Amino acid sequence: MSTTENPQNPRILALFDVDGTLTIPRGEITTDMMDFMTTLSKKITVGIVGGSDLPKQIEQLGEGITDRFPYNFSQNGLVAYKHGSLLESQTVSKFLGEDNIKKIVNWTMKYLSEIDIPVKRGTFIEFRSGMLNISPIGRNCSRPERNDYEKFDLEHKVRENMVNAMRKEFADLNLTFSIGGQISFDVFPNGWDKTYCLKFCDAKDFDEIHFFGDKTFEGGNDYEIFSHSRTAGHTVTSPEDTKEQCTKLFMS
C-alpha cells in the first residue's frame, strides 16, 4: 500500500517526470529532493510517470518506489501501479509483432552504421517491453561522453534527423518518435506517450491534474501530456526548479 494515501487535498494530482525533473539525467534522487516529495505528498496526490522501465526507475528513485506514492507509471504508464498494486502491463512486441520489430531494428542498425559522430559506444537499441529506445552514441557511454554528445546533438540534430527519416520509413506502422534525455529517443505506437497514464487517473477523482517535466517542447517526450487538455503543464529546468514551482503552487 502507498505510504501517502490521505493528503490534505486529494483531488489535486501532480504527476512528475523523472530525468531532469526529480533527478539530474540518469542520476539518483537526492535525499533532500525525496524528503521534499514526501512532504508534498502530504499536501496533494502525487504520481511518478517516467519513460524508463521500472528497474531503471528504481535505480534512480530507490527501492519501494511503487509503494511510496499513490501512482507510479514506468514506460509512460504501460506498467502502471496504484497504491502499490499492478494495474496493467502492456508490451510493444505483442502489439506490433516480431516481423515489424525486426524491420525497425535492422533499419536502425544500418542507419547508425552510416552516420559519423565523435564517439560510439554500445547498446544502440534497448528493447523495453513498451518501446524501443534508440541511442546514436550508445547507452554504454560514460557521463562525460553523454554530456559531450548532448551538446553535439543539439548543434548537429543527429536525433532529430534520424527521427525524421524513421517517420518516413515506417509511416505505415503509426509510430510515435519522442526525443528525451540527453542521448536517445523512444519509439512506440501512437498513443503510448505519457498521456497513456491518464487512463488510470479517473477524471471523477480529481479537480486538477498537474504535470511537471523538462522535455515539454514539441517532439520532447513530455510534450503530449504537458499539452493535454486534462492537464495543467509546467516546464521545469532542474529538480531545484521543480521544488520551487511546487512550493509556490501547493505549499504556500
Side-chain angles (χ1 to χ4, degrees):
M1 297 294 286
S2 164
T3 58
T4 55
E5 291 185 51
N6 298 297
Q8 292 176 13
N9 298 297
R11 295 188 61 80
I12 298 176
L13 170 62
L15 298 170
F16 295 86
D17 169 50
V18 180
D19 276 355
T21 301
L22 297 180
T23 74
I24 63 171
R26 291 302 304 135
E28 296 179 9
I29 194 168
T30 63
T31 301
D32 181 63
M33 190 65 189
M34 183 57 82
D35 288 346
F36 175 80
M37 293 299 294
T38 301
T39 300
L40 178 64
S41 68
K42 295 174 183 176
K43 299 283 188 181
I44 61 172
T45 304
V46 168
I48 308 296
V49 52
S52 294
D53 59 21
L54 186 55
K56 283 191 173 61
Q57 195 177 102
I58 290 171
E59 285 179 16
Q60 292 183 267
L61 302 181
E63 292 289 342
I65 191 60
T66 57
D67 298 301
R68 185 175 287 272
F69 304 114
Y71 290 93
N72 181 276
F73 305 112
S74 53
Q75 298 185 77
N76 294 345
L78 298 178
V79 179
Y81 283 84
K82 182 178 180 180
H83 297 310
S85 297
L86 181 65
L87 298 177
E88 179 177 298
S89 181
Q90 177 63 277
T91 67
V92 70
S93 56
K94 285 191 297 184
F95 189 85
L96 291 178
E98 290 300 338
D99 285 345
N100 285 324
I101 295 292
K102 286 190 290 185
K103 288 177 184 176
I104 295 169
V105 170
N106 291 342
W107 184 94
T108 298
M109 295 307 294
K110 184 174 187 296
Y111 183 97
L112 291 178
S113 73
E114 295 172 350
I115 63 170
D116 184 26
I117 59 177
V119 170
K120 290 184 182 181
R121 292 299 180 249
T123 312
F124 301 100
I125 305 175
E126 184 174 79
F127 181 83
R128 302 173 181 173
S129 63
M131 66 185 71
L132 296 175
N133 178 266
I134 297 173
S135 173
I137 186 177
R139 297 192 65 87
N140 289 355
C141 62
S142 67
R143 182 166 294 281
E145 290 167 344
R146 171 187 288 266
N147 293 339
D148 289 343
Y149 173 80
E150 181 180 31
K151 296 172 187 174
F152 182 87
D153 187 80
L154 286 170
E155 180 181 353
H156 297 279
K157 301 186 184 302
V158 178
R159 289 182 292 175
E160 183 179 323
N161 291 336
M162 186 172 181
V163 162
N164 289 337
M166 292 188 79
R167 281 200 177 104
K168 294 178 183 177
E169 182 70 22
F170 300 106
D172 59 317
L173 296 185
N174 298 313
L175 299 173
T176 293
F177 301 87
S178 185
I179 297 171
Q182 295 175 288
I183 62 168
S184 65
F185 61 92
D186 298 327
V187 183
F188 47 86
N190 288 345
W192 284 25
D193 52 65
K194 287 180 180 174
T195 61
Y196 192 91
C197 77
L198 295 177
K199 66 185 281 189
F200 304 108
C201 305
D202 199 319
K204 71 177 186 298
D205 293 335
F206 302 105
D207 298 322
E208 302 173 20
I209 299 178
H210 296 260
F211 172 77
F212 295 83
D214 65 320
K215 295 293 190 294
T216 56
F217 53 86
E218 188 167 3
N221 66 352
D222 296 325
Y223 175 75
E224 289 83 4
I225 190 169
F226 169 82
S227 59
H228 195 273
S229 60
R230 289 187 62 195
T231 67
H234 306 273
T235 302
V236 300
T237 57
S238 66
E240 292 74 23
D241 187 34
T242 301
K243 188 189 302 184
E244 183 178 333
Q245 291 196 39
C246 286
T247 298
K248 290 179 181 177
L249 279 168
F250 308 121
M251 304 172 78
S252 58

